[in-house]
């Protein structure tokens, strides 16, 4: 079966889960992002942990390895203190008491954040799998996929700027593994001139879409990527771009002129 025929049959089935995954990730609040940056078992509102050497670790998981070490040390200290307290009391009646209201409330909040973490990790995993399928589809038949770009571009071009996808890989929602491949493959479907420069287009688009308010003067790396790319495209274009090609190029032009 020709790739075009396979895409025509299967791609309409991919759109609903794609919209659902993008919608879930885009709807994440700042509080949700804090939850995803927090070590499992802690609350996103917990104060920073103090390590034995005096270093302070942020409560939102900026340093995952250090936070794990700090959590282990803290639990060990709490366990030792609890044993000492029981030993001091001695005798009978040293059984565990019922959890306090504060402990019950904390357990409820931890459970709620765990549910949020599970929901967003599931959406990010689904998005990653769909992105891999899209890369295969773009690579196998760019002409067949070009017919779907009008529906795909509004969904896909918002992904690089989503805070959840910019988190570290340990968060469970990072798009680091697949975002560049997706944007590069997307550029390859927008005509021969853009296809020949899809790697540079992919890098420039990621930079622009991730930092929509950063000017070229504030980002030498972006300027080094963007200006030679646009000059090369200007020199090679011999006719108008397709609507999808222009939509893909528009964020780059806005940044260059901004």
């Amino acid at each position: 079966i020709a790739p075009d025929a396979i895409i025509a049959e299967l791609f309409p089935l991919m759109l609903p889960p794609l919209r659902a995954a993008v919608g879930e990730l885009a709807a994440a609040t700042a509080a949700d992002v804090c939850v995803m940056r927090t070590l499992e078992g802690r609350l996103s509102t917990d104060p920073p942990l103090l390590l034995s050497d005096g270093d302070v670790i942020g409560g939102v998981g900026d340093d995952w390895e250090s936070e794990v070490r700090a959590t282990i040390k803290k639990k060990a200290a709490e366990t030792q203190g609890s044993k000492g307290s029981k030993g001091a009391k001695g005798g009978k009646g040293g059984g565990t008491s019922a959890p306090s209201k504060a402990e019950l409330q904390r357990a409820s909040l931890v459970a709620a954040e765990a549910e949020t973490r599970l929901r967003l990790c599931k959406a990010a995993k689904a998005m990653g799998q769909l992105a891999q399928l899209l890369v295969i589809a773009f690579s196998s038949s760019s002409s067949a996929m070009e017919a779907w770009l009008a529906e795909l571009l509004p969904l896909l071009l918002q992904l690089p700027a989503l805070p959840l996808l910019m988190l570290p890989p340990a968060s469970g929602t990072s798009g680091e593994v697949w975002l560049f491949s997706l944007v590069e493959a997307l550029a390859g479907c927008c005509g021969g001139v853009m296809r020949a420069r899809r790697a540079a287009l992919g890098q420039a688009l990621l930079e622009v879409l991730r930092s929509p308010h950063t000017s070229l003067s504030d980002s030498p790396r972006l300027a080094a990527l963007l200006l030679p790319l646009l000059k090369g495209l200007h020199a090679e274009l011999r006719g108008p771009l397709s609507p999808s090609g222009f939509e893909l190029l528009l964020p780059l032009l806005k940044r260059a002129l901004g």
Side-chain angles (χ1 to χ4, degrees):
I1 304 175
D4 290 15
I6 296 174
I7 289 171
E9 289 291 328
L10 295 183
F11 194 75
L13 302 177
M14 289 176 57
L15 276 176
L18 180 62
R19 291 192 184 103
V22 173
E24 188 76 70
L25 296 172
T29 64
D32 291 335
V33 176
C34 284
V35 169
M36 297 311 301
R37 295 186 66 188
T38 302
L39 194 66
E40 193 170 354
R42 299 192 72 222
L43 284 175
S44 58
T45 54
D46 281 347
L49 295 170
L50 182 64
L51 298 180
S52 58
D53 56 6
D55 289 339
V56 175
I57 302 303
V60 290
D62 291 329
D63 186 336
W64 291 82
E65 291 184 2
S66 297
E67 189 156 353
V68 169
R69 292 196 301 270
T71 302
I72 292 172
K73 289 179 182 179
K74 184 179 179 182
K75 287 184 177 179
E78 290 173 349
T79 302
Q80 190 63 34
S82 176
K83 288 180 179 179
S85 177
K86 288 180 181 178
K89 288 181 181 179
K92 298 180 180 180
T96 57
S97 60
S100 66
K101 183 178 179 181
E103 289 172 332
L104 290 173
Q105 185 178 19
R106 178 180 177 82
S108 176
L109 291 173
V110 168
E113 291 198 356
E115 186 177 338
T116 297
R117 188 176 290 108
L118 182 64
R119 171 175 56 83
L120 295 176
C121 281
K122 182 179 179 181
K125 182 179 180 180
M127 186 62 243
Q129 292 170 340
L130 290 166
Q132 291 174 355
L133 291 174
L134 286 171
V135 170
I136 294 171
F138 286 137
S139 303
S140 63
S141 181
S142 59
S143 59
M145 289 302 294
E146 191 171 359
W148 295 97
L149 288 180
E151 292 188 67
L152 285 173
L153 286 176
L155 290 171
L156 301 182
L157 291 183
Q158 63 181 297
L159 291 175
L162 297 184
L164 284 178
L165 297 182
M166 290 191 280
L167 292 178
S171 67
T173 63
S174 174
E176 182 179 323
V177 173
W178 51 265
L179 258 176
F180 172 72
S181 298
L182 178 62
V183 175
E184 181 188 27
L186 189 62
C189 285
C190 296
V193 174
M194 297 182 73
R195 188 178 303 117
R197 296 174 177 269
R198 60 184 180 274
L201 272 168
Q203 291 177 346
L205 267 171
L206 278 184
E207 289 283 336
V208 166
L209 296 174
R210 279 175 171 166
S211 306
H213 304 297
T214 301
S215 65
L216 291 184
S217 59
D218 294 332
S219 178
R221 183 176 183 275
L222 178 57
L225 282 172
L226 188 54
L227 296 181
L229 172 64
L230 292 178
K231 287 180 180 178
L233 287 171
H234 179 264
E236 292 181 23
L237 281 173
R238 294 294 180 267
L241 287 169
S242 66
S244 298
F246 181 75
E247 187 175 352
L248 197 67
L249 201 58
L250 189 58
L252 304 183
L253 294 172
K254 284 182 176 178
R255 184 60 54 84
L257 297 172

